[in-house]
Amino acid sequence: MRLSIALLSIAVLLTPTAATAHAVEPPPPAVRDFGNGPERNEEAAGVSAETLRAPTEEPYGYSHERDRGYPRQNQLPIPGENPADASIKLGLVPYHGIAPRLNDLQRRSKRVSAEIIGRSYQGRDLYLVTVTAPESREEAREQSRLRDRIQHDPAAAARDRGLPRKYKAPLFVNNNIHGNEWEGTDAALRVIEELATSTDPEVADLLSRTRLYFNVTANPDGRVNGVRVNGAGFDLNRDFVTASQSEVRAMRQVMIDTQPVTMIDLHGYVNGTLIEPTTPPHGANYEYDLFIRNTYANGLGMEAAIKALGHTPEADGVYPPQIPFRDSDEGWDDWPPIFAPQYAPFHGAVAAHTVEIPLRVNGSDYINLPVDELRRRSGINTAIAAAAIRATYGFVRARHDQLIADQIEVFRRGAAGEPSRTVPLGIVPGFGSEDVYNTTFPRAYVIPAGGGQRSATAAARLVDHLIANDVEVGQAKRSFRANGRTYLAGSYVVDMRQPKRGLANVMLEAGTDISPRVDAMYDISGWSHALLWGATVDGVTSLQAQAEPVKAAAPTGSVPKGHGPLALKVIDAKEVMALNALLAQGVAVTWANDGTAIIPATARQAAHTVSDRYGVAFTPAGTAAGTPRGIAAGAPAGTPVGAPSGTPTGTLAGTATGTPLSQVRIAAATSADELFTLRELGFPVTPISTATLNSGFDWSGTDVLFVSSGLSYTALNPTAKAALDTFLASGGVVTRGSTGAAFNTAAGLLTATSVAGRGDANGVARVVSSTGPVGSGSPGYSFVYSPRWFTGLGPEVTVEQAYATEGPLVSGHWRPNPNGTGGQEAAKGQAAVVSGRDERGAAVVLFGTEPMFRNHPKGLFPQVARALYWSASVTGAAVTTP
């Protein structure tokens, strides 16, 4: 019988301390750590984040070259020695010690090939090691041909009974994706050396029929710094369908190029070792019958291998392994594809696992425990991680032909366009009706060209993202009809009769509200590139279009001919980047209330440059700018959306075409993902916190204060508070979430009561936006995590966006609190984003939504930019009413 695991708050895993290391106590429940989750409202990206550089393009065009055999000997450059590497205290291999070991192994063994597949955010090399029997150039080409046949002609591959005998089954071992979960790296190095030097005939047989790929450390920044996140402050194991980080893009490319039948991702720390498969809900876009059968079997094998090491609670403080699918009820699910093992199945992995090794050595334990105890624990952890790797390659060897056949079947079902299969009850012991999740695949998705598209730049970004994920995209040669609508030539078509249709669908479908099915989810429960990335995406049930495959989206930038001023409607992140690039050059831009930027004729050459770079389309400046705030239906308590509560609509004093806008300089008490996004958009940002302000902060270089994490007005000392209050007479304020709402109240800014939804509620929400300066141009969907709304609005407050009255949640998980508060019903029609003027002069915007969450909802970034532009340009101007 499954045991329930509650995940309504962050829990800390406690392993025995040095004084009680061998005491026999029940193990704590298995709880994953959050990443970029609720703690985002508490800890700002600190002052150290000022040293973070902007993201750079990957320096290596990594792919598995078809014309090279194995081994592929590469002399890896050796980093400088770093005595501060956090691994050293644990007796583990420091980052600077990895390349020398790999170089030595390449010299000693023809089974080992090491290559650099990219760089981390802070510029450290990422190493992929391939272990396999030597292959000639022609043998390597044959493997490539077989791999392509499995994916692109799976029906023929399924008929070829000799194919599994000829094909080397790929296994992918991912390590150290969380930087302070170290030991997977050391276990991988141990196993690589064993395989490289073994004389065992079974190892020789394994390597003749298998390629083993090891991502030695997925997060070298975190490994060196002793933290979970990478150098940009991102939890890399939350980024796979967004791929904002270079490390994740490298892992993604490895999965695409190697097409593993099985993968494991080594983490820590759960005592006893936790081995997936997971609890419900299960990802509805998998071929789950194939997946659960193999994943459960390998999970049992890893469990047996770890038990065979002989560790016990009495002797070592190590408890028996646990398998969430078998041992738990809910709370450790494989629903969102944001994790590496939940992303891998879309590239053919028919077994994929997170493995959480047992003894905690990070956090307070790293600081407080004696070095000898830490090294005892890390030694046990390394041995357990190595046992999990050995069990998995043994599993691949034993099930070699079946795993290949199952991967072929995954791709065959997609290419044939078969319906989602319902997994038979009892397919593995304990598989019941609570485990059954299915989806409906459309015949195709169409991303329209022409008037049906909100933003051509958004469409191009989405198409390029799909292609980067190995989803097949075509472009219509001529106009066609589908679902009673005519689509113009040039529209993009994602034909769902393709091998990786599961990945296409998991990105493009709206998703599901799974609130009724489970009480608690581990992480996000709703996402949708179609609804959140700014492009128009239509699912269609029939397809009669002639579409040619595309390798990249068509260019979208343009500047009209002529000599007059230009207009740029800011409705996409690329347009924000282009506008900020112009502002950084000192271009005299005029900002209109409807979200249009007017560029003077003298800046036409600069407009051409940013148009080419960002793919944005300028239009001739006309009457689009300067539109007064409009009134839209749907605001709470009878207040028109876009209108100040209880007052007529107003316009800004100034010219008929808007107000002057210069580069907006931001002081941000914010989370790492928001800091990354603001800088990616081109805003100059200085990270701050309560401590920063209390130490003395020069506000003269700031136009807007952004508050979402790590800043408490009440905790400021008198000097800091006085300086901030002076700034509020001339600067703007934008806030988000609980910290932002508390700041607004404590600083006495807008008259608004912040109401908190359930803390773990999250997903894609329907919203109704105004035609005002912040709401204008916003899509009809937003993202929420710990949602909030605003009531008791004062006469100075404008409702910019409200939750829909028909029920806000499209996809995700949003239940009320046990006392009935904080649910979807309570949020219906309530103000989600508001703006107004503080009596001191500050223009203020409050967000109850999550428009920059983990750098994912690209289509919402312009709403944040409009809030920043408006609050910067309005401050100090008078407000007039008719």
Side-chain angles (χ1 to χ4, degrees):
M1 180 167 180
R2 295 181 178 178
L3 303 176
S4 178
I5 296 175
L7 288 177
L8 299 183
S9 61
I10 298 176
V12 178
L13 288 173
L14 301 175
T15 53
T17 64
T20 62
H22 305 161
V24 181
E25 300 174 355
V31 180
R32 283 173 172 167
D33 290 327
F34 285 95
N36 305 126
E39 80 286 350
R40 297 163 69 254
N41 295 318
E42 307 300 329
E43 286 190 34
V47 175
S48 61
E50 292 181 34
T51 63
L52 299 182
R53 54 183 177 77
T56 58
E57 294 297 319
E58 285 81 344
Y60 302 96
Y62 161 73
S63 65
H64 260 55
E65 299 173 66
R66 297 173 183 272
D67 294 333
R68 290 185 64 191
Y70 285 96
R72 301 174 179 185
Q73 303 291 342
N74 298 288
Q75 185 71 19
L76 303 176
I78 299 175
E81 186 172 338
N82 179 7
D85 189 307
S87 310
I88 296 172
K89 182 177 181 180
L90 301 173
L92 301 174
V93 180
Y95 173 74
H96 60 261
I98 295 173
R101 287 199 180 196
L102 297 179
N103 285 337
D104 179 61
L105 280 171
Q106 289 186 106
R107 285 192 296 269
R108 292 162 52 199
S109 175
K110 293 183 179 181
R111 295 172 173 176
V112 178
S113 302
E115 54 195 314
I116 294 171
I117 56 172
R119 283 183 178 163
S120 70
Y121 185 85
Q122 292 180 336
R124 295 181 176 91
D125 290 336
L126 304 172
Y127 308 122
L128 182 73
V129 173
T130 306
V131 182
T132 194
E135 297 173 20
S136 68
R137 183 184 297 266
E138 182 50 42
E139 286 171 333
R141 286 176 176 171
E142 176 65 9
Q143 291 299 307
S144 293
R145 286 192 289 267
L146 292 172
R147 185 179 66 241
D148 287 348
R149 191 179 189 196
I150 287 169
Q151 178 180 345
H152 297 295
D153 194 3
R159 293 191 298 268
D160 184 354
R161 298 192 178 184
L163 187 151
R165 175 176 49 81
K166 297 179 288 186
Y167 185 56
K168 286 187 168 183
L171 165 62
F172 179 41
V173 181
N174 203 44
N175 306 286
N176 200 201
I177 194 170
H178 292 146
N180 62 355
E181 297 167 11
W182 290 270
E183 294 92 341
T185 292
D186 296 79
L189 291 170
R190 179 180 298 180
V191 172
I192 291 167
E193 182 157 9
E194 291 171 358
L195 295 173
T197 59
S198 174
T199 58
D200 187 335
E202 291 189 357
V203 170
D205 177 69
L206 169 76
L207 299 182
S208 71
R209 304 175 68 229
T210 308
R211 285 184 186 168
L212 294 90
Y213 300 98
F214 296 85
N215 187 19
V216 179
T217 169
N219 184 1
D221 295 350
R223 184 177 186 84
V224 170
N225 300 326
V227 295
R228 179 183 180 88
V229 295
N230 76 336
F234 270 72
D235 186 325
L236 300 177
N237 206 36
R238 306 292 182 275
D239 192 42
F240 274 87
V241 291
T242 306
S244 69
Q245 302 301 296
S246 60
E247 299 93 332
V248 172
R249 292 192 289 272
M251 285 181 270
R252 177 182 69 186
Q253 197 61 47
V254 168
M255 293 186 208
I256 291 170
D257 287 347
T258 66
Q259 205 166 289
V261 295
T262 302
M263 76 88 65
I264 60 172
D265 198 24
L266 292 167
H267 290 249
Y269 300 94
V270 175
N271 194 359
T273 302
L274 182 142
I275 305 167
E276 290 182 342
T278 72
T279 66
H282 303 302
N285 286 282
Y286 301 143
E287 302 302 331
Y288 211 78
D289 57 330
L290 305 174
F291 181 81
I292 188 60
R293 184 176 62 208
N294 291 303
T295 304
Y296 191 47
N298 192 39
L300 293 173
M302 285 190 277
E303 177 185 45
I306 291 167
K307 283 184 174 181
L309 296 176
H311 297 298
T312 66
E314 296 83 359
D316 311 297
V318 177
Y319 290 87
Q322 54 189 287
I323 297 175
F325 173 80
R326 180 191 65 197
D327 300 328
S328 303
D329 182 33
E330 60 181 46
W332 193 286
D333 55 85
D334 58 10
W335 183 252
I338 57 176
F339 315 110
Q342 277 66 59
Y343 177 78
F346 297 116
H347 294 295
V350 292
H353 310 258
T354 293
V355 177
E356 301 271 355
I357 54 182
L359 297 178
R360 175 171 154 163
V361 294
N362 61 8
S364 60
D365 288 338
Y366 183 90
I367 297 169
N368 297 324
L369 290 181
V371 170
D372 287 349
E373 171 61 12
L374 290 172
R375 292 187 175 187
R376 182 190 75 85
R377 293 183 180 194
S378 65
I380 291 173
N381 288 336
T382 300
I384 288 174
I389 298 173
R390 294 188 201 102
T392 299
Y393 73 59
F395 169 79
V396 173
R397 179 171 178 253
R399 287 206 183 193
H400 178 276
D401 291 7
Q402 187 60 56
L403 291 170
I404 294 169
D406 285 349
Q407 183 180 82
I408 293 170
E409 177 64 6
V410 169
F411 295 147
R412 189 202 65 77
R413 292 178 188 178
E418 293 184 359
S420 175
R421 293 200 181 187
T422 300
V423 182
L425 303 185
I427 187 172
V428 296
F431 194 95
S433 59
E434 73 278 6
D435 292 300
V436 178
Y437 286 80
N438 290 93
T439 191
T440 300
F441 298 110
R443 177 61 184 85
Y445 287 101
V446 180
I447 304 173
Q453 184 57 56
R454 289 189 69 250
S455 168
T457 55
R461 177 181 53 243
L462 179 57
V463 166
D464 285 341
H465 185 72
L466 292 168
I467 293 169
N469 281 274
D470 207 31
V471 171
E472 297 171 2
V473 182
Q475 192 166 28
K477 299 170 62 176
R478 55 182 61 89
S479 63
F480 64 96
R481 287 185 62 80
N483 284 29
R485 176 179 174 181
T486 298
Y487 292 95
L488 301 179
S491 295
Y492 295 102
V493 177
V494 181
D495 188 339
M496 291 298 285
R497 291 180 182 172
Q498 63 169 292
K500 295 187 179 179
R501 58 101 180 259
L503 184 53
N505 207 53
V506 84
M507 290 184 172
L508 297 178
E509 68 177 349
T512 305
D513 180 356
I514 59 170
S515 306
R517 294 202 61 175
V518 291
D519 180 64
M521 294 286 292
Y522 165 55
D523 205 273
I524 64 166
S525 315
W527 62 92
S528 175
H529 296 67
L531 300 182
L532 296 177
W533 276 41
T536 299
V537 180
D538 297 333
V540 298
T541 57
S542 62
L543 181 65
Q544 293 182 333
Q546 291 184 321
E548 294 182 342
V550 293
K551 295 183 178 180
T556 54
S558 64
V559 177
K561 294 180 179 179
H563 303 285
L566 301 168
L568 180 66
K569 185 74 172 178
V570 180
I571 59 173
D572 185 74
K574 293 287 189 179
E575 287 138 8
V576 177
M577 295 176 185
L579 176 54
N580 280 339
L582 293 173
L583 293 171
Q585 298 174 50
V587 173
V589 174
T590 300
W591 181 250
N593 281 359
D594 69 345
T596 301
I598 306 301
I599 316 301
T602 53
R604 272 183 161 263
Q605 184 55 52
H608 275 285
T609 300
V610 298
S611 175
D612 289 342
R613 179 175 181 182
Y614 298 106
V616 300
F618 290 86
T619 59
T623 59
T627 305
R629 299 185 202 178
I631 299 175
T639 304
V641 174
S645 176
T647 66
T649 55
T651 58
L652 292 177
T655 68
T657 57
T659 56
L661 179 65
S662 57
Q663 190 175 40
V664 178
R665 301 162 299 175
I666 304 169
T670 189
S671 58
D673 54 331
E674 291 171 316
L675 174 62
F676 180 92
T677 300
L678 290 170
R679 286 178 165 170
E680 182 182 58
L681 291 172
F683 290 102
V685 186
T686 301
I688 63 169
S689 65
T690 304
T692 306
L693 300 191
N694 281 337
S695 298
F697 182 73
D698 181 4
W699 288 97
S700 63
T702 299
D703 301 304
V704 179
L705 169 63
F706 189 99
V707 181
S708 65
S709 183
L711 178 58
S712 169
Y713 184 85
T714 58
L716 295 176
N717 62 40
T719 301
K721 196 172 292 184
L724 174 56
D725 287 341
T726 299
F727 167 79
L728 294 176
S730 59
V733 178
V734 177
T735 80
R736 178 201 58 79
S738 58
T739 297
F743 178 86
N744 173 74
T745 300
L749 298 174
L750 299 187
T751 305
T753 299
S754 174
V755 181
R758 177 164 148 164
D760 65 346
N762 67 86
V764 182
R766 298 180 186 89
V767 289
V768 177
S769 299
S770 76
T771 55
V774 179
S776 177
S778 297
Y781 303 92
S782 191
F783 188 81
V784 295
Y785 196 114
S786 301
R788 306 188 82 84
W789 53 92
F790 304 99
T791 62
L793 305 180
E796 82 281 14
V797 177
T798 295
V799 178
E800 296 283 354
Q801 192 171 73
Y803 294 112
T805 55
E806 70 268 27
L809 196 66
V810 177
S811 58
H813 187 267
W814 187 351
R815 284 188 170 191
N817 295 309
N819 65 4
T821 64
Q824 297 183 50
E825 289 295 318
K828 284 183 178 180
Q830 299 294 336
V833 182
V834 298
S835 67
R837 289 285 297 275
D838 174 65
E839 65 271 12
R840 282 163 289 192
V844 183
V845 179
L846 311 179
F847 282 92
T849 56
E850 282 273 9
M852 295 188 288
F853 188 76
R854 299 179 184 167
N855 194 243
H856 180 71
K858 312 291 187 185
L860 308 184
F861 295 173
Q863 188 182 34
V864 178
R866 289 194 297 272
L868 293 165
Y869 295 144
W870 176 78
S871 61
S873 63
V874 171
T875 302
V879 173
T880 62
T881 56

